[in-house]
Structures are given as structure tokens and as C-alpha cells.
């Protein structure tokens, strides 16, 4: 999405969806059959900052699978019928998401965090208007101008030698032309000076969707692992977290609530997300606000020891699966981490102190400098929310 025009958001998503719909050598049916005959799986998708081809295959069929990957990447079919089907499917998906309160909340929250004109304020799937305006030529132009090997990483995990992987990538290396691409400079979102409450009305909603947070930190920042440790007892530790214990176990306001940091190479937000019963919307937001206000002052030695124990012991079996190993490789290459970063993180966790935790909480968790977004029934909930002390609620429209 970083390389898309603001009025054509959704091009990379459509392109990724179309890449597996046949190649110059194979119809969509023939490509699907070729993948199935290998017992393999190949998928393509786009994120805010990447187009990804991923898959699984038996080690003995790695070469054959990579030949298909090469076709998909280097020889797209550009089938008009398939493009129209992908486009229609995307438009239907957008319509469904517009009717889903969780998607509405996520979309509005992004705009509040980044500002309406920031590229990350957009959903990379696009809007009804932007996708309607996209043609097959837009996909071809994006493919020709923006996909280049020098911006790419290949990650492989399995029972296969390095030499075999290099050999299998030879066709891509030899035939994928380098493009002159200038990635735009992404400005970090503005910090929040004072908390504000925002409300989006879904008449007669039986549940209120909550998004509470602020712009925080990039995954490349030295504090990024430390804030994961700090967040464990707040909302990252499932049933061990204060938010879950208070809102689910003690009060029964929700089935689930979590908090977390979602940075990448760019600054991402700290976010608390939950869905609560409509008739306890005020009580839930007020309780979350209180927990945030008290988190630093009430953080104890016991909280720290429980967190250390989990963060270190959970690593013992955390990287046994191929998928976990693949994610580790991605982190190493995407964020330029040392190969022993897991061990370094463990050592960092072991050495953390109460004062360090409290300093992190003071820096990154401030209840008075957050966005409070509620998506729910305004008729029954809006008036009561004015008592939160967050000023007059700002009414949002799509």
C-alpha cells in the first residue's frame, strides 16, 4: 500500500489475489491442478508494506514447487475474466466489512491514530469507490513499476540444504529485473496531547466495540521487546492479565480483551481492543481507564516475576514448528535483528527491574493521552459516556 495512489488504494491487494489465477503457461485450472499434484499450497496476499508469496510443500518437491512460484511471480496471466471475479469478490468483502462493527472500529481507529491523510489510515483492501475505479491496467502498471528483487527477501524452513534453495531461486535471480523504486518517507503519526472520546453509532447494537490506544513504537526500536514484557500483565498475558481478570473474570463485561503493541519498520500503535455488552459500555471504559491510570503505581515484584517466568519459559517450545521458525527468519531479515536475538531478549527479560518497568509504563502507557473509540448504540450509551471525564464525545461518520 505504501506505493499506491491515495485514490487507488486496493491495487496491491487485487494484484496479489490475481497472481495465483493462472500464468502465461497455465490456465487458472491448470495452475491449481499442478499445485495439487505436488501436494503443495501456494498463496499470495498483500499487507500495508509487502506483497507476499507463501506456501508449503514436501521437501522432495521443493524444486517443482519453486518452478511454479517462478511462473506466478515472473509470468502473470493477466486474465480479464479472473480480474473481474477477484474485483467483484473484493467489493463483496468490503460491503460485508462495512456492516461488521469490529471492522468499522478498526477502520476508524486507524484514521484516528494516523490522521485521515496518512497512508496507514487506509485499509489496504480499499474502499468501494477506489476498487470500483481500478482497472487491469492499474495492476499491470503497479507490477511493472513496483515489484523488484532488491527489495525482496526469501525465507525457507525445512529439510533442505542451502545450496538446493539457491539453485531453486536461480530462475528468479536471472529473470527478475531490478526496478528503480523510491519508497516514500513515512512520517510518524502525531503524539496525542489530551485524551478524547470518539463514538460511532450503530443503532440497536447489542454490543459495543472498544478501541483504546495511542501511537507508540516501531518494531525496530530498542524498547520494542521490553514493551512486550511490560504489557504482559496489562493485557498481553491472556487470563494472567489485569484487563482480562477485571473485565471478564470479575465483572463478566466481555468474553475477551487484550492489549498490545503492533509496530513494524514504522511506528505502530498501542491498542486495547474488546467487545462488551452494550449495557455496560460506560462501566467497561471507566474500568479500563482506571486500570491504565493505576498500572505503573500498582506494578509489583510479583507481577515482574510472573512475567519473567512466562516470557523465558514460553520460549522453550515456542520455535519448534516450521511456521514459528519461518516467523523468526522474517523478523531477523525484516528488522535487521541478530541471529541470536531470542537469547538476547531472554537476557533482557531476566535483567529487567521494577523501576525499568515503571519507566516504560510512564513512557508508553498514559491514560490521559489516548484515543477512546466506542462503536455502539448511541441512543442508549452516548449520554452516559459523557461522565468519563474525557470531554464531549466526538461523533464520527463513515
Amino acid at each position: 500500500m505504501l506505493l499506491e495512489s491515495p485514490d487507488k488504494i486496493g491495487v496491491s491487494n487485487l494484484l496479489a489475489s490475481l497472481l495465483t489465477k493462472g500464468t502465461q503457461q497455465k490456465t487458472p485450472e491448470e495452475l491449481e491442478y499442478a499445485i495439487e499434484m505436488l501436494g503443495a499450497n501456494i498463496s499470495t496476499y498483500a499487507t500495508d508494506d509487502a506483497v507476499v508469496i507463501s506456501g508449503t510443500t514436501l521437501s522432495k518437491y521443493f524444486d517443482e514447487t519453486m518452478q511454479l512460484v517462478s511462473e506466478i511471480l515472473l509470468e502473470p496471466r493477466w486474465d480479464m475474466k479472473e480480474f473481474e471475479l477477484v474485483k467483484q469478490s473484493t467489493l463483496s468483502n468490503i460491503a460485508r466489512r462495512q456492516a461488521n462493527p469490529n471492522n468499522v472500529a478498526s477502520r476508524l481507529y486507524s484514521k484516528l491514530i494516523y490522521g485521515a491523510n496518512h497512508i496507514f489510515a487506509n485499509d489496504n483492501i480499499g474502499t468501494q469507490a477506489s476498487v470500483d475505479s481500478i482497472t487491469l491496467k492499474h495492476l499491470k502498471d503497479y507490477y511493472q513499476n513496483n515489484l523488484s528483487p532488491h527489495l525482496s527477501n526469501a525465507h525457507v524452513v525445512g529439510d533442505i540444504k542451502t545450496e538446493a534453495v539457491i539453485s531453486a531461486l536461480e530462475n528468479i535471480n536471472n529473470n527478475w529485473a531490478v526496478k528503480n523504486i523510491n519508497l516514500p518517507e513515512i512520517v510518524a503519526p502525531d503524539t496525542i496531547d489530551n485524551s478524547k472520546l470518539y463514538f460511532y453509532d450503530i443503532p440497536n447494537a447489542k454490543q459495543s466495540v472498544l478501541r483504546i490506544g495511542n501511537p507508540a513504537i516501531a518494531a525496530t526500536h530498542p524498547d520494542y521487546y521490553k514493551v512486550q514484557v511490560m504489557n504482559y500483565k496489562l493485557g498481553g498475558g491472556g487470563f494472567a492479565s489485569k484487563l482480562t481478570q477485571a473485565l471478564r473474570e470479575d465483572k463478566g463485561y466481555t468474553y475477551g480483551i487484550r492489549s498490545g503493541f503492533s509496530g513494524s519498520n514504522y511506528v505502530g500503535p498501542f491498542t486495547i481492543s474488546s467487545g462488551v455488552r452494550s449495557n455496560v459500555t460506560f462501566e467497561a471504559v471507566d474500568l479500563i481507564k482506571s486500570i491504565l491510570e493505576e498500572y505503573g503505581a500498582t506494578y509489583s515484584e510479583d507481577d515482574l516475576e510472573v512475567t519473567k517466568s512466562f516470557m523465558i519459559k514460553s520460549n522453550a517450545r515456542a520455535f519448534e514448528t516450521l511456521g514459528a521458525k519461518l516467523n523468526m527468519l522474517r523478523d531477523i531479515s525484516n528488522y535487521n535483528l541478530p541471529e541470536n536475538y531470542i537469547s538476547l531478549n531472554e537476557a533482557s527479560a531476566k535483567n529487567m527491574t521494577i523501576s525499568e518497568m515503571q519507566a516504560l509504563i510512564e513512557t508508553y502507557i498514559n491514560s490521559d493521552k489516548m484515543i477512546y473509540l466506542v462503536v455502539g448504540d448511541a441512543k442508549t450509551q452516548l449520554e452516559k459516556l459523557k461522565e468519563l471525564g474525557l470531554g464531549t464525545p466526538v461523533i464520527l461518520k463513515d
Side-chain angles (χ1 to χ4, degrees), residues 216-217 224 227-228 230-231 259-263 268-271 364-365:
I217 191 171
Y224 194 68
V227 297
Q228 313 297 328
M230 176 268 287
N231 177 63
S259 63
F261 293 85
S262 55
F270 164 76
T271 305
Y364 296 104
I365 308 291

Side-chain angles (χ1 to χ4, degrees), residues 325-370:
K325 288 181 171 66
L326 189 67
N327 287 334
M328 183 171 64
L329 288 184
R330 286 174 177 164
D331 286 345
I332 289 170
S333 65
N334 289 342
Y335 306 134
N336 197 29
L337 299 175
E339 292 184 14
N340 65 336
Y341 81 95
I342 301 298
S343 299
L344 295 176
N345 285 346
E346 286 185 0
S348 175
K350 286 179 181 178
N351 294 325
M352 291 188 77
T353 64
I354 284 287
S355 59
E356 189 173 6
M357 282 292 194
Q358 290 174 335
L360 288 167
I361 293 168
E362 184 177 350
T363 301
Y364 296 104
I365 308 291
N366 190 328
S367 65
D368 294 327
K369 295 182 179 181
M370 287 195 178

Side-chain angles (χ1 to χ4, degrees), residues 30-41:
E30 289 170 341
L31 178 59
E32 184 178 347
Y33 180 74
I35 295 171
E36 287 181 356
M37 287 300 292
L38 296 174
N41 172 272

Side-chain angles (χ1 to χ4, degrees), residues 78 125 140 162 175 193 234 237 266 270 352 383:
W78 305 124
I125 193 176
K140 290 180 179 180
T162 303
N175 295 290
D193 295 327
L234 177 61
Y266 308 96
F270 164 76
M352 291 188 77
E383 192 64 29

